Amino acid sequence: MLNEIKIRKSGGTLMAKSIWGILRGLESFSQLIIFEKYCLTFVIRCTSITDYPKFRHRGLLLDTSRHYLPVQTIISMLDAMSYSKLNVFHWHIIDDNSFPYQSKAFPSLSDKGAYGQSAIYSTNDIKLVIEHARQRGIRVIPEIDSPGHTLSWGLGGIPGLLTQCSDTDPNYFGPIDPTVDENYSFIKTLLTEVNELFRDQYLHLGGDEVNMNCWNNSKKLQTFMTLNNISNVEGLEDYYFKHIFNITRELKTVPIVWEELFSDNIHLDHNVVVQIWKPNNFSSLVQEVIDSGYAVLISSCWYLNYIKYGSDWSSFYNCDLSDIVDRNNLLLGGEACVWGEFVDETNVLPLSWPRASAVAEVLWSQVTNYTEARLRLEEHTCRMKRRGVPAQPANGPGFCTY
Amino acid sequence: MLNEIKIRKSGGTLMAKSIWGILRGLESFSQLIIFEKYCLTFVIRCTSITDYPKFRHRGLLLDTSRHYLPVQTIISMLDAMSYSKLNVFHWHIIDDNSFPYQSKAFPSLSDKGAYGQSAIYSTNDIKLVIEHARQRGIRVIPEIDSPGHTLSWGLGGIPGLLTQCSDTDPNYFGPIDPTVDENYSFIKTLLTEVNELFRDQYLHLGGDEVNMNCWNNSKKLQTFMTLNNISNVEGLEDYYFKHIFNITRELKTVPIVWEELFSDNIHLDHNVVVQIWKPNNFSSLVQEVIDSGYAVLISSCWYLNYIKYGSDWSSFYNCDLSDIVDRNNLLLGGEACVWGEFVDETNVLPLSWPRASAVAEVLWSQVTNYTEARLRLEEHTCRMKRRGVPAQPANGPGFCTY
């Protein structure tokens, strides 16, 4: 994993044991070059750098369901990610609000569930994103969040897909109905297709914020639970994910799930990765998951969509992971999350940059001293602006000379 | 001031008593036209509207000193302002951090005090902005903030301009030195030039946040005060503004000042407009200023740069002015302020829109019900996006169909 850069008067060398190391080294190399304003030329200092990332999973989540993001915006985000050596684009592509993923097997899902014909990601769009990411050493992990966060799926005409939460209100729908066998073959087809398209080792299954009230209120589900000796709705969730993990096992993919599955004591396959997102006492949950033998991703500290006035990026350095005991390297890394409630193509770039670069640095080097980071981040902001990323001011008044 | 729009099957009429009324009416007219998606055509409903603004001064402040804003960005802001019928661009053009205003009489001020040669507003730039604004019924009021907020002026080589706050530290500068007679002829030349360029009835003189500690610590100023029988630094401020108001009186311009001048009991010319900006108990200060016979502008409720997560525009409707007794119509209106500490060309447009539109509505119609405003603002956001303004989401998940 060690990468090495040496710049001498006689020339420079870049050594790495993988193509990914070479890519990160080239990024570092490009950042060593500065414009010398008195000589009006580009210069590089003689230097020697040995470097490697602390965490192998350095991600950014984009939510394209609450607001659709144009492909060009995603491409710009990928460019910016590579400038900060982030290597995972977690594509939260669908959710309650809209279904922009165009399925070949079930085109009605996006035809009916997307915000409109101009708010759909075609197979070609997705391939373009994946290829653009790949060339920058970024893997693209799709999230097919279920059984909750699926209201938009319900528009696609799959009969019996969503739970009817109420016997009196036929339009009150909840999570996917776990008692309908056909739902599992539908999901299998969908996940298989998604897996073939994205071709990544990982597949994010979601699993957060399941509306248990709905399942509790449904007479049909309560009857099913009695017949099948399931004592509570967490048991129903377990039943649901037993089927889902059967699918991911067949697909030979590594499932990622949100923390609720661990907290709800759902039976997890041994290779499941648990993503922690709630902010309170997250580090003790991280430890618990690791102690149970599961791999972990952390997002708790890095919800970029929660904006604050001023240099709020400094708080992203306050994600102290130093107390975590991780003998088997189960802490894979983490992800900055840009949830889309108040984010669309008009503001996602300045909102995310340079704030996500702070997260990227923590994931690369586990530094916690944000006082020292201040000037680095300012310089990096100007670098991003030079490269066409509209990165907003990090530290108050100033000006980028270029 | 009444403007009237009538749309009938036989045609439409627009009546107003001024060119400005016609401009606002045309804006209303354009907003009545909607795209009818089933007929694939633009339609307008038969309607009749009688309308007029509650306040005559509906402004937006942009700060181009803490971060330089390109002329094109200012032009886009003016376009967006006109879509919300704002009619005053308060150009806080210079401040401590940089001096982008290119003075004909004192070119060294921007040569030395701007962030760089690419961060200067030439006379032509300013004329372009003023003309673009004029065509949209927007007046441009320049702010030449003094005696505080002038550190960047000190770089321009005007000898003795700034107060030396300390006898031991020759590099600790404070506000403009009010004891140097030459400073008043310098300021007179500067204000005369600015007044001739902007050609507006109003001239903003600033006057906020004067560093009184500096004046208190300067032995030179203390000696001057003793010799001239000035008992405290507020007296010195009064002495300073006596000279400045002499200048504005000669220029026949209406001075606007920040609230500190009123609070510090500075002698104000009868025609001075006081701009209230501090948030606490602002309405009692507004009443006090009105009762003293001065005209007032309010900004206290509308500091757009203080961002919050979510639909924070709703708080802009909570600016209750209904208790203010204003028999002589001294409350001219108010201004949304976009201070530039964390704002530059990367984020000023989505940060300001549609949030400034909420302020604009309060200033136009004095509505306070933000629940009803919600859908209007959403529609207006999509309208602005259609017209090329990157207005960020107002109300959470959604999509603009166009």
Side-chain angles (χ1 to χ4, degrees), chain B residues 178-319:
Chain B
T179 70
V180 176
D181 282 344
E182 291 77 8
N183 288 345
Y184 297 109
S185 38
F186 158 73
I187 292 175
K188 183 174 178 179
T189 308
L190 184 67
L191 289 183
T192 304
E193 174 189 302
V194 165
N195 193 51
E196 278 171 9
L197 176 57
F198 283 82
R199 297 185 173 280
D200 197 80
Q201 182 188 352
Y202 295 92
L203 184 58
H204 204 301
L205 301 174
D208 57 321
E209 300 180 316
V210 179
N211 181 351
M212 297 296 194
N213 281 335
C214 171
W215 281 359
N216 262 320
N217 289 337
S218 159
K219 278 195 193 140
K220 180 189 168 203
L221 266 61
Q222 293 297 320
T223 309
F224 178 88
M225 287 163 66
T226 311
L227 287 171
N228 289 273
N229 213 13
I230 296 174
S231 59
N232 55 28
V233 284
E234 284 77 18
L236 211 51
E237 196 186 1
D238 192 70
Y239 176 86
Y240 177 80
F241 273 103
K242 193 181 73 180
H243 287 81
I244 303 297
F245 289 134
N246 279 340
I247 299 169
T248 53
R249 225 174 297 130
E250 271 191 57
L251 295 176
K252 297 190 171 50
T253 183
V254 179
I256 310 179
V257 298
W258 294 108
E259 65 174 78
E260 282 92 331
L261 263 67
F262 182 83
S263 308
D264 287 351
N265 291 311
I266 307 303
H267 288 90
L268 302 177
D269 276 14
H270 74 283
N271 65 340
V272 166
V273 179
V274 179
Q275 184 165 11
I276 313 286
W277 64 275
K278 297 186 182 175
N280 292 337
N281 292 320
F282 74 91
S283 63
S284 61
L285 183 58
V286 169
Q287 189 65 60
E288 217 181 309
V289 176
I290 288 175
D291 292 346
S292 305
Y294 294 105
V296 180
L297 294 171
I298 294 176
S299 288
S300 307
C301 319
W302 303 310
Y303 267 40
L304 301 192
N305 49 309
Y306 290 137
I307 51 169
K308 289 200 186 70
Y309 175 75
S311 298
D312 71 340
W313 56 265
S314 64
S315 73
F316 303 146
Y317 284 82
N318 287 337
C319 194

Side-chain angles (χ1 to χ4, degrees), chain A residues 30-278:
Chain A
S30 79
Q31 297 188 12
L32 290 171
I33 300 166
I34 56 168
F35 186 72
E36 221 293 311
K37 62 181 176 180
Y38 294 107
C39 314
L40 290 179
T41 186
F42 292 95
V43 295
I44 190 163
R45 214 186 278 269
C46 288
T47 188
S48 171
I49 297 175
T50 307
D51 197 15
Y52 59 95
K54 169 72 185 174
F55 294 112
R56 75 194 97 159
H57 187 120
R58 304 180 303 281
L60 186 137
L61 175 150
L62 276 185
D63 165 8
T64 57
S65 170
R66 290 178 177 88
H67 285 96
Y68 178 80
L69 295 175
V71 171
Q72 188 49 53
T73 303
I74 296 175
I75 295 289
S76 299
M77 289 294 288
L78 291 168
D79 291 343
M81 285 172 67
S82 72
Y83 305 152
S84 292
K85 301 176 185 167
L86 290 169
N87 66 351
V88 180
F89 168 35
H90 174 169
W91 195 346
H92 187 87
I93 190 165
I94 50 178
D95 203 298
D96 282 330
N97 306 92
S98 75
F99 198 104
Y101 169 74
Q102 189 171 52
S103 163
K104 284 201 164 167
F106 309 103
S108 66
L109 287 169
S110 56
D111 279 352
K112 305 288 183 184
Y115 280 127
Q117 286 303 311
S118 61
I120 286 175
Y121 301 109
S122 70
T123 302
N124 278 343
D125 289 337
I126 292 168
K127 283 183 176 168
L128 195 145
V129 167
I130 293 170
E131 178 58 15
H132 194 88
R134 192 187 66 80
Q135 290 177 3
R136 284 151 189 80
I138 299 169
R139 70 191 326 151
V140 182
I141 300 180
E143 178 178 351
I144 306 297
D145 192 359
S146 78
H149 286 282
T150 51
L151 287 183
S152 70
W153 305 31
L155 306 171
I158 315 286
L161 183 64
L162 300 185
T163 310
Q164 283 205 295
C165 310
S166 156
D167 294 326
T168 50
D169 181 355
N171 292 316
Y172 176 17
F173 291 103
I176 286 175
D177 188 335
T179 70
V180 177
D181 283 343
E182 290 78 7
N183 286 346
Y184 297 108
S185 41
F186 158 73
I187 292 174
K188 183 175 178 178
T189 308
L190 183 66
L191 289 184
T192 305
E193 173 189 302
V194 165
N195 193 50
E196 278 170 10
L197 176 57
F198 284 80
R199 296 185 173 281
D200 196 80
Q201 183 189 350
Y202 295 93
L203 183 59
H204 205 302
L205 301 174
D208 57 320
E209 300 180 317
V210 178
N211 183 352
M212 298 296 194
N213 280 337
C214 169
W215 280 359
N216 262 320
N217 288 338
S218 159
K219 277 196 194 141
K220 178 186 170 207
L221 266 61
Q222 294 298 321
T223 308
F224 178 88
M225 285 162 66
T226 310
L227 287 173
N228 290 273
N229 212 15
I230 296 174
S231 58
N232 55 31
V233 284
E234 284 76 18
L236 211 51
E237 196 184 2
D238 191 71
Y239 175 87
Y240 177 80
F241 274 102
K242 193 181 70 181
H243 288 79
I244 303 297
F245 289 133
N246 280 340
I247 298 168
T248 54
R249 225 175 298 128
E250 271 190 60
L251 295 176
K252 297 189 172 44
T253 184
V254 179
I256 310 179
V257 298
W258 294 108
E259 64 174 78
E260 281 91 332
L261 263 67
F262 182 84
S263 308
D264 288 351
N265 292 310
I266 307 304
H267 288 89
L268 303 178
D269 276 14
H270 73 285
N271 66 339
V272 165
V273 179
V274 180
Q275 185 165 9
I276 312 286
W277 65 274
K278 297 185 183 176

Side-chain angles (χ1 to χ4, degrees), chain B residues 58 81 84-86 336 353 355-365:
Chain B
R58 304 179 304 280
M81 285 173 68
S84 290
K85 301 177 186 168
L86 290 170
W353 310 101
R355 293 161 81 236
S357 306
V359 181
E361 187 174 68
V362 175
L363 289 170
W364 182 275
S365 59

Side-chain angles (χ1 to χ4, degrees), chain A residues 66-67 97 115 118-119 305-311 341-342 344-347 350 385 390-394 396-399, chain B residues 66-67 97 115 118-119 305-311 341-342 344-347 350 385 390-394 396-399:
Chain A
R66 290 178 177 88
H67 285 96
N97 306 92
Y115 280 127
S118 61
N305 49 310
Y306 291 136
I307 51 168
K308 289 200 184 68
Y309 175 73
S311 298
E341 282 86 350
F342 291 92
D344 67 6
E345 81 284 1
T346 65
N347 61 353
K385 288 180 77 168
Q392 70 181 10
F399 184 67
Chain B
R66 291 177 177 89
H67 285 95
N97 306 91
Y115 280 125
S118 61
N305 49 309
Y306 290 137
I307 51 169
K308 289 200 186 70
Y309 175 75
S311 298
E341 282 85 351
F342 291 91
D344 68 5
E345 81 284 2
T346 65
N347 61 354
K385 288 180 77 167
Q392 69 181 12
F399 184 69

Side-chain angles (χ1 to χ4, degrees), chain A residues 345-366:
Chain A
E345 81 284 1
T346 65
N347 61 353
V348 65
L349 281 152
L351 181 137
S352 301
W353 309 102
R355 294 161 79 236
S357 306
V359 181
E361 186 174 66
V362 176
L363 289 170
W364 183 275
S365 60
Q366 214 178 353

